[in-house]
Amino acid sequence: MLTPQEVSAHAFTKAMMGGYNMAMVDEFLDAVTEDYTALYNENTILKIKLKVLSDTVEEYRATEATMRKTLLAAQ
């Protein structure tokens, strides 16, 4: 996977008429797009997992509060 440093440091060779070699640019953009897509999908999955875990923690906190009240009442 490309690092941000590799993306910013990548240099394209100039074509004959002073522009960039379009094949190299397209190849590089394809690689960047592929990596970005993978990261975007991973980020989406991690956000979903974070939401599930946050909800679970909240459930445990509610259970803990109920247990504390029950223990105090039992004393």
Side-chain angles (χ1 to χ4, degrees):
M1 192 170 289
L2 294 172
T3 65
Q5 292 81 13
E6 290 173 327
V7 172
S8 63
H10 191 81
F12 298 105
T13 57
K14 296 259 181 167
M16 295 292 259
M17 297 225 173
Y20 291 106
N21 181 333
M22 290 306 292
M24 286 183 71
V25 172
D26 287 342
E27 182 181 318
F28 183 72
L29 289 176
D30 288 344
V32 170
T33 301
E34 183 180 326
D35 285 349
Y36 180 77
T37 301
L39 289 172
Y40 183 84
N41 291 336
E42 182 182 3
N43 189 34
T44 301
I45 291 167
L46 290 173
K47 284 181 180 180
I48 292 168
K49 287 181 179 180
L50 178 63
K51 174 72 172 124
V52 169
L53 292 173
S54 293
D55 292 345
T56 303
V57 167
E58 288 304 316
E59 288 176 23
Y60 288 147
R61 285 187 179 148
T63 302
E64 178 187 18
T66 303
M67 289 176 141
R68 285 184 188 270
K69 287 178 186 176
T70 303
L71 284 172
L72 286 174
Q75 286 178 347

